[in-house]
Amino acid sequence: MNRNKTNAVFKPLLLTALLAASAGLSAQAATLVFGNNGEPVSLESGNITDGISILVQHQIYDTLVHFKDGTTTTIPGLATSWKANADATSWTFNLRKGVKFQDGTPFNADAVVFNWQRFFDPKNQYGYRDQGRTYEIVGQLLGGFKGEKGAVIKDIVKVNDSTVRFDLNMPSSVLPDVVGAGYFGIASPTAIRKDGAKYGTPNSTPVGTGPFSFVSWKTGDRVTLKANTAYWGTKPKVDTLVIRSIKDASQRLNELKAGTIDFTADLSPDSLKDVTGDKTLAAVRKPSFNVGFLSLNNNNQYLKNDKVRQAISMAINKKAIVDAFWNGLGVSSTSFLPPVLSWANSKTVPADYKYDPAAAKKMLTDAGYANGISLDLWYMPVSRPYFPNPKPIAEAMAADLSAIGIKVNLKTEDWAKYLEDRNKEPGFDMYMIGWTGDYGDPDNFYAAYYGPNAADDINFKSPELNTLLDQGRAAVGQAAKAKIYSQIQDITYKANYRLPIVHSQPLAARRTYVQGWVPSPLGSEAFNKVSVIGKK
Amino acid sequence: MAAYIFRRLLRTLLVMVGISVVVFAFVRSIPGDPAVAMLGERATPEASARLREQLGLNQPWFINFKDPAHLFNAQYPKYVGALLQGDLGNGIKSQIPVASELKNRFPATVELALGAIIFALLIGLPAGIIAALRRNTVWDNLATTVSLVGVSMPVFWLGLLLSWFFAVVLGWLPPSSRLGIGYTIVPITGLDVLDGLLRGQFAAAWDALRHLILPSIALGTIPMAITARITRNSLLEVLGQDYVRTARAKGLSPRSVTLKHALRNALLPVVTVVGLQMGALLGGAVLTETIFSWPGLGSWLYDAISLRDYPVIQGGVIFAALVVSLVNLLVDLSYAFLDPRIQYA
């Protein structure tokens, strides 16, 4: 056999073998493994309040409104467009056509109305409230349930197969942001009817329109999902997505380093050096969308004095504290709003509190307390992204305050009791707490801690503030909103009842082969754009 | 013997009834409201009150005096009524049936407890025997030091250290979890290693065993140290007794004296201690399960306590109490096996 003949025979064979091998490679099932910081509470949309559940649900369900990658800017989701009437008391959503749930049933206006009615109508038969369902997030974000005083939504009606309308009891410009929040995924009505009251538990099959379909939920261990190849948006880049429950942050880092998970979030800020020092890993700084703050109680005889509160605001070296405890993964400012919402900040309020212990001491003397005062400072017994390590942070603040003559008694207690006791009169003198946003509007931050009755813990009442909050919720357009929220910041800054300490950037990390992951500030990104090319 | 077992089981039943009342009242007496715990940072007084009402937590505990026509329209009678039908209720927030979670999680706890006890016995017993037989030698000192370190080592720290060294540095074992991605074992007993073998899935069984090693060492270190110390002390005591001297005087080999005569008697207190530890381990190991993402009872109950999830706490505690009672019964029965002089009537 001459050389040409040999080539003629072997070249096609070689080519075929190479093609077969590459086909084999591409056909190899790609699995993406995420290390979640705990277990989802439920896979039933509308009936959760926690970020861990949101992250899992967002793979299975879509919401009507989505958010642009890595931002809080609304973009079309299951609704392609939406429009309010002139006074924002009615919102009409045009729905995406041709979308199917993972069980093959059609997504349409009936499905949207079915889901939202069960969320907000206490009498809805598919809400299963007699069997323990509560949907309290609706009460939280939308003022109450159907028929209740203060409820934002009056009714949800089908206009036609691809149009629904939310009729409101009061103007609200933030409704699209709220319905886009990760809590409110649209589930298949057929699946809910089939599974009944067990829908959302591990013994059921949650069905949405999202990029991944439910396979199994092994409690305490993992949720396994598979790619929804019929997804209407960007098709998933992997075949299987496994979301593991790994509560301990150090262990999540161990898992990542060992290569048994591909990416994870909510690592301790202390881990930054460890992550950046490992060539196989890449640190991912999640956008900041939280605030950790110190609340000062107006019921306390000293703290009701404006000068004492102002002295405290000047005595705490916030920048030093943030630098020391957040490892560069946080910023301090005067604003209750995270940097992404800084468009709503006042132009007249300084960027940060002035750290001036001498002036603070003088202010305390001017208040009539030259010999100092004694106050309790309560710190949280749990770790949160906004206060990952509350005790040493409290100790640092206590040291700063003692330097101006305020003797601080550090206190803590069980978390459930902490949350309860802060609201029991007279409440805590000073206490640490925080907030992580649900949607990208200043209302979600201010209303949570300055809304009607939301500042009872510190006995701070301001009718002017409440009026402005109502106006802010109704205002349409960023310019109109900015005008109102800048006034709100003027008031809250001068009041000095809640001193923002930090807006932290939760630390996440990935193996270097993980590409396409853009974490959402809202913690609700789908993983359909994430790939693991080169994973061994 | 049968009559004894029957009496013990009857007593266990009475203990369970007592525990159900105590746990029911106790969990409601501890400060901290489930509604507030569920709402977290969102817990304003209004939101908490609304959720409390929705969850039925405003109902009276035992008897509804406000409505004489429905005296038993209260939380405990409803709970017991459901309990008698085998319904332990659902998780207050997750709505996951407590009974199904117990069924899912208990085998994981049993597997880990067995792994820990096997580790404790494999290391602790020989160490204790060697320490007793080589008293005041370097071996005795080594065993005593190791057991002291074992007892003193915080499980949390040891777990992370083991995971880091064996998984990250050496890459020999997985850092946590119960089974690797890609393996599925359909349960028979619920013990993954055993089920993998029974189903002929040897690769999966091997993977499950590799996942079991580090948490077993972390959880078994303290029982290992205790076992070593108890074995040493007990064996030393027995070796000093007259009948052992008599056995030696009769010309029996040291091996026969130690293994047949002394060790069997010395094991009685060891069995008691190991039994007590096994009972405690079967109630769940919070720290080890948390560190190793082990889906057992301990971390589940701990979370339930943090959230004041009453049905889960009640169901979990009653179940754990039942298991401990039954293990104690087995330990008592094992005495008769180890020491024929003991008889139960």
Side-chain angles (χ1 to χ4, degrees):
Chain A
M1 195 185 280
N2 64 37
R3 190 171 173 163
N4 284 342
K5 276 189 177 174
T6 309
N7 282 346
V9 174
F10 283 106
K11 269 187 176 172
L13 278 176
L14 188 66
L15 200 62
T16 311
L18 283 172
L19 281 172
S22 70
L25 280 176
S26 63
Q28 193 179 17
T31 301
L32 178 67
V33 186
F34 180 74
N36 210 356
N37 65 343
E39 165 139 89
V41 171
S42 168
L43 295 186
E44 179 194 11
S45 54
N47 198 31
I48 51 164
T49 55
D50 63 304
I52 293 169
S53 300
I54 285 185
L55 191 122
V56 182
Q57 290 203 5
H58 217 76
Q59 315 308 322
I60 301 169
Y61 302 112
D62 280 308
T63 44
L64 289 181
V65 174
H66 281 189
F67 299 94
K68 197 175 163 189
D69 290 348
T71 74
T72 59
T73 307
T74 54
I75 57 170
L78 283 176
T80 51
S81 62
W82 47 91
K83 199 176 177 192
N85 63 356
D87 62 354
T89 54
S90 177
W91 282 88
T92 302
F93 291 82
N94 296 309
L95 306 180
R96 195 174 291 276
K97 292 174 185 165
V99 175
K100 283 196 186 315
F101 287 104
Q102 292 137 6
D103 60 5
T105 57
F107 163 77
N108 51 29
D110 289 324
V112 176
V113 172
F114 178 91
N115 275 269
W116 272 92
Q117 289 288 354
R118 65 194 293 271
F119 295 161
F120 105 112
D121 181 358
K123 290 178 184 157
N124 186 278
Q125 64 167 315
Y126 296 107
Y128 307 110
R129 282 164 169 83
D130 56 336
Q131 293 181 62
R133 298 296 197 278
T134 56
Y135 308 97
E136 69 264 23
I137 195 69
V138 175
Q140 290 285 301
L141 299 184
L142 290 159
F145 297 95
K146 188 173 187 178
E148 286 183 0
K149 190 187 168 197
V152 173
I153 298 178
K154 187 194 290 176
D155 209 354
I156 297 146
V157 291
K158 171 184 172 180
V159 177
N160 59 44
D161 257 5
S162 57
T163 313
V164 291
R165 197 180 67 237
F166 285 64
D167 292 331
L168 311 184
N169 288 313
M170 58 194 78
S172 175
S173 61
V174 296
L175 191 83
D177 295 81
V178 177
V179 300
Y183 311 106
F184 302 123
I186 302 296
S188 157
T190 307
I192 291 171
R193 287 192 185 102
K194 185 176 161 216
D195 282 336
K198 69 175 185 181
Y199 185 82
T201 68
N203 302 321
S204 69
T205 305
V207 177
T209 60
F212 292 93
S213 316
F214 178 82
V215 174
S216 65
W217 176 4
K218 210 172 163 193
T219 51
D221 188 17
R222 70 191 67 169
V223 175
T224 304
L225 309 170
K226 66 177 182 191
N228 173 11
T229 50
Y231 186 52
W232 59 268
T234 305
K235 303 269 191 297
K237 309 260 187 253
V238 295
D239 304 282
T240 305
L241 169 63
V242 178
I243 300 179
R244 287 185 48 199
S245 307
I246 309 168
K247 280 188 216 159
D248 186 73
S250 304
Q251 192 64 291
R252 284 200 297 283
L253 185 58
N254 277 347
E255 293 268 5
L256 191 69
K257 281 170 165 272
T260 42
I261 59 174
D262 299 315
F263 60 140
T264 189
D266 295 311
L267 295 172
S268 160
D270 300 339
S271 305
L272 181 62
K273 204 175 161 190
D274 213 359
V275 173
T276 50
D278 188 327
K279 284 180 185 168
T280 63
L281 306 183
V284 179
R285 293 164 171 83
K286 291 182 81 172
S288 175
F289 205 59
N290 59 37
V291 57
F293 55 93
L294 182 69
S295 285
L296 308 180
N297 192 342
N298 204 22
N299 282 327
N300 179 278
Q301 58 166 321
Y302 306 117
L303 292 172
K304 65 173 60 165
N305 186 321
D306 291 349
K307 286 182 178 170
V308 174
R309 296 196 306 277
Q310 203 179 336
I312 291 171
S313 76
M314 289 192 292
I316 298 174
N317 190 351
K318 294 199 305 167
K319 188 173 181 313
I321 288 173
V322 172
D323 287 347
F325 295 104
W326 278 270
N327 227 347
L329 294 167
V331 291
S332 65
S333 84
T334 45
S335 178
F336 211 62
L337 304 175
V340 70
L341 297 175
S342 58
W343 54 264
N345 286 343
S346 168
K347 302 279 185 291
T348 58
V349 171
D352 206 351
Y353 292 92
K354 185 180 168 192
Y355 169 59
D356 190 341
K361 196 170 174 63
K362 184 175 179 305
M363 188 77 73
L364 199 63
T365 305
D366 291 348
Y369 303 115
N371 296 327
I373 56 175
S374 176
L375 293 169
D376 293 342
L377 193 165
W378 291 75
Y379 62 90
M380 301 153 53
V382 294
S383 169
R384 289 287 184 272
Y386 50 78
F387 282 135
N389 213 350
K391 189 180 177 189
I393 296 167
E395 286 168 346
M397 289 196 281
D400 285 342
L401 293 174
S402 72
I404 67 161
I406 298 177
K407 181 177 176 285
V408 174
N409 312 304
L410 288 176
K411 292 187 171 180
T412 193
E413 60 184 345
D414 171 81
W415 181 228
K417 192 156 178 347
Y418 185 96
L419 293 167
E420 195 174 343
D421 287 349
R422 67 180 176 146
N423 285 324
K424 276 186 187 165
E425 279 207 46
F428 299 151
D429 293 348
M430 302 188 284
Y431 81 99
M432 291 161 70
I433 195 76
W435 184 256
T436 299
D438 302 299
Y439 54 88
D441 191 277
D443 175 64
N444 185 235
F445 280 81
Y446 280 118
Y449 276 91
Y450 285 107
N453 303 316
D456 285 357
D457 57 326
I458 51 169
N459 190 21
F460 174 59
K461 298 193 189 311
S462 168
E464 186 191 2
L465 200 56
N466 290 339
T467 307
L468 285 167
L469 283 170
D470 288 343
Q471 289 173 0
R473 209 170 294 125
V476 179
Q478 202 175 85
K481 281 174 181 285
K483 211 171 165 183
I484 294 161
Y485 286 106
S486 69
Q487 291 178 64
I488 289 175
Q489 198 199 357
D490 285 338
I491 295 171
T492 56
Y493 170 71
K494 282 175 193 153
N496 280 316
Y497 282 107
R498 301 208 197 265
L499 305 177
I501 304 293
V502 69
H503 300 289
S504 76
Q505 281 186 284
L507 176 63
R510 60 178 171 85
R511 304 281 300 180
T512 46
Y513 56 71
V514 172
Q515 299 294 320
W517 180 33
V518 184
S520 160
L522 304 166
S524 55
E525 73 272 15
F527 295 149
N528 52 323
K529 295 174 187 168
V530 181
S531 66
V532 287
I533 296 163
K535 177 181 175 181
K536 287 172 188 164
Chain B
M1 178 75 97
Y4 172 78
I5 294 173
F6 178 74
R7 278 202 311 277
R8 283 287 300 264
L9 289 176
L10 198 65
R11 204 190 303 165
T12 302
L13 188 68
L14 290 174
V15 168
M16 289 303 110
V17 172
I19 281 179
S20 78
V21 177
V22 171
V23 170
F24 183 87
F26 183 72
V27 295
R28 282 161 179 75
S29 305
I30 51 175
D33 188 309
V36 173
M38 273 169 66
L39 288 166
E41 286 91 328
R42 303 172 188 280
T44 60
E46 286 72 25
S48 311
R50 176 164 53 205
L51 189 55
R52 208 174 292 123
E53 183 66 38
Q54 280 180 290
L55 295 171
L57 297 170
N58 289 336
Q59 289 178 359
W61 288 5
F62 293 103
I63 295 174
N64 187 6
F65 290 114
K66 286 181 184 169
D67 184 3
H70 302 92
L71 270 180
F72 296 111
N73 187 17
Q75 294 182 51
Y76 185 72
K78 281 183 187 171
Y79 179 68
V80 171
L83 196 62
L84 290 174
Q85 295 171 46
D87 180 7
L88 290 169
N90 294 343
I92 210 165
K93 178 62 192 162
S94 68
Q95 294 299 309
I96 299 175
V98 175
S100 90
E101 272 303 85
L102 282 170
K103 192 178 148 206
N104 288 338
R105 287 175 181 266
F106 186 57
T109 292
V110 171
E111 188 166 51
L112 179 56
L114 284 174
I117 287 294
I118 288 170
F119 170 76
L121 293 177
L122 278 179
I123 309 291
L125 269 181
I129 293 168
I130 290 168
L133 296 179
R134 304 271 185 276
R135 194 181 177 190
N136 295 331
T137 64
V138 65
W139 296 107
D140 184 17
N141 290 337
L142 185 68
T144 309
T145 308
V146 167
S147 66
L148 189 69
V149 172
V151 170
S152 319
M153 190 117 54
V155 172
F156 198 80
W157 182 79
L158 176 65
L160 279 176
L161 193 71
L162 285 171
S163 186
W164 171 77
F165 188 69
F166 287 101
V168 178
V169 177
L170 298 176
W172 290 354
L173 293 167
S176 76
S177 185
R178 214 180 155 202
L179 200 60
I181 304 292
Y183 290 108
T184 310
I185 299 173
V186 179
I188 300 172
T189 63
L191 310 185
D192 279 352
V193 177
L194 185 60
D195 290 352
L197 292 173
L198 291 174
R199 291 201 180 274
Q201 293 175 263
F202 299 114
W206 173 239
D207 185 70
L209 183 64
R210 291 177 73 240
H211 280 84
L212 182 61
I213 292 172
L214 292 182
S216 295
I217 295 174
L219 186 62
T221 297
I222 290 177
M224 177 270 287
I226 294 171
T227 304
R229 299 197 75 159
I230 295 282
T231 306
R232 177 186 178 274
N233 294 349
S234 178
L235 192 56
L236 278 177
E237 197 181 319
V238 170
L239 286 172
Q241 287 185 3
D242 290 346
Y243 76 90
V244 173
R245 206 176 322 148
T246 307
R248 280 188 184 131
K250 277 166 66 183
L252 288 177
S253 69
R255 182 190 170 90
S256 178
V257 171
T258 307
L259 294 181
K260 283 189 180 170
H261 293 261
L263 190 60
R264 196 162 172 186
N265 278 319
L267 280 181
L268 278 177
V270 177
V271 168
T272 306
V273 169
V274 169
L276 283 172
Q277 286 174 350
M278 188 68 188
L281 294 180
L282 288 176
V286 176
L287 293 177
T288 310
E289 287 181 8
T290 303
I291 286 289
F292 289 99
S293 309
W294 195 264
L297 290 179
S299 53
W300 178 57
L301 278 175
Y302 178 79
D303 288 347
I305 291 165
S306 305
L307 281 170
R308 307 294 191 269
D309 195 331
Y310 295 161
V312 173
I313 303 171
Q314 286 160 191
V317 171
I318 290 171
F319 182 78
L322 181 66
V323 169
V324 171
S325 298
L326 293 178
V327 169
N328 282 345
L329 174 61
L330 287 177
V331 170
D332 287 349
L333 295 177
S334 74
Y335 291 152
F337 170 73
L338 286 168
D339 187 348
R341 290 168 299 180
I342 298 173
Q343 287 190 339
Y344 295 107

